Amino acid sequence: MAKLKLGVLGSGKGSNFRAIADAITAGSLEAEIGIVLSDVETSGILALARERKLRAEFVAPGKFKTKLEPEAEERTVALLREAGVELVVLAGWMRMIKAPLLAAFPRRIINIHPSLLPAFPGLEAWKQALAAGARETGCTVHYVDEGMDGGEIIAQSRVPVLPGDTPEKLHARIQLAEHALYPEVIRRLNAPPARAHA
Ligand code: GRF
């Protein structure tokens, strides 16, 4: 099977990136990371990518807090294209995705979110789950559209909320589920379509 070329975008510590990179190294995911991009120059994800000798670039986000400036998004598209990226993987990317990137990769941008969407979209979903008294939460991989955490759901993994959970404990449990789910979903997206029975 041809190796799927990934572009990973993240703003944070990069544990999902690491899980994907580890799955590739272990041979359980036939893919290749073409480039890692971050809007945060000091992010863990860029440091982890550089440790692995992967191409890692900071994209200066510009003046907005919740999205890239149009020029920055155009640069992101150019970098992804130049790296031959086929699937854009958001892994802790904290900005909305707008037209230039969406149009360049139609149905080829995915995100992971720490709740069972459509429940608890937005920031710190694990805290929202605790505050709501949910007994179960989890994580969701979905296609990205112009909305926030609203694109078509691809897969979910359930995680129990346990008595005595703190936000930190619950988030750590959800992240373990994320690290298993994300590489698995990418593997499935690259699998040839199932053959119909004759
Ligand atoms: C994850 O919990 C993910 O669901 C959310 O941001 C977090 C990123 O964590 N979108 P990491 O940077 O991959 O460790």
Side-chain angles (χ1 to χ4, degrees):
M1 203 190 305
K3 281 192 182 172
L4 181 68
K5 187 76 83 80
L6 309 178
V8 184
L9 269 62
S11 312
K13 65 181 193 292
S15 68
N16 280 285
F17 156 74
R18 188 173 51 213
I20 293 164
D22 284 351
I24 292 172
T25 306
S28 60
L29 175 59
E30 281 288 315
E32 193 182 333
I33 297 174
I35 193 163
V36 176
L37 299 175
S38 182
D39 57 332
V40 179
E41 208 163 6
T42 55
S43 59
I45 191 171
L46 284 183
L48 284 175
R50 290 185 181 125
E51 269 172 27
R52 285 163 198 257
K53 311 278 182 247
L54 294 170
R55 182 160 181 215
E57 301 264 355
F58 164 62
V59 177
K63 62 177 178 289
F64 302 115
K65 275 224 165 86
T66 57
K67 61 178 183 180
L68 291 174
E69 235 172 57
E71 298 70 30
E73 195 158 308
E74 295 288 1
R75 177 166 142 73
T76 303
V77 170
L79 287 166
L80 291 168
R81 284 208 167 121
E82 196 184 297
V85 165
E86 297 162 290
L87 181 69
V88 178
V89 176
L90 305 188
W93 177 255
M94 297 305 285
R95 292 170 193 267
M96 305 286 284
I97 301 291
K98 296 290 167 190
L101 195 44
L102 288 171
F105 292 92
R107 233 175 133 76
R108 300 303 282 166
I109 309 178
I110 60 174
N111 181 45
I112 191 156
H113 180 79
S115 76
L116 296 174
L117 289 171
F120 313 127
L123 292 176
E124 299 188 319
W126 59 94
K127 285 192 186 166
Q128 297 183 48
L130 272 183
R135 295 175 58 180
E136 186 179 61
T137 181
C139 53
T140 302
V141 178
H142 63 93
Y143 288 109
V144 172
D145 61 16
E146 353 22 71
M148 191 176 55
D149 304 324
E152 184 190 328
I153 291 172
I154 304 170
Q156 296 186 307
S157 177
R158 296 175 177 279
V159 171
V161 180
L162 300 178
D165 259 351
T166 59
E168 294 70 29
K169 281 188 194 167
L170 180 56
H171 189 207
R173 195 175 309 120
I174 294 171
Q175 285 228 286
L176 283 180
E178 290 182 343
H179 300 160
L181 184 66
Y182 221 180
E184 176 55 35
V185 168
I186 296 168
R187 190 179 304 122
R188 263 195 266 153
L189 288 178
N190 197 33
R195 280 165 181 266
H197 289 291

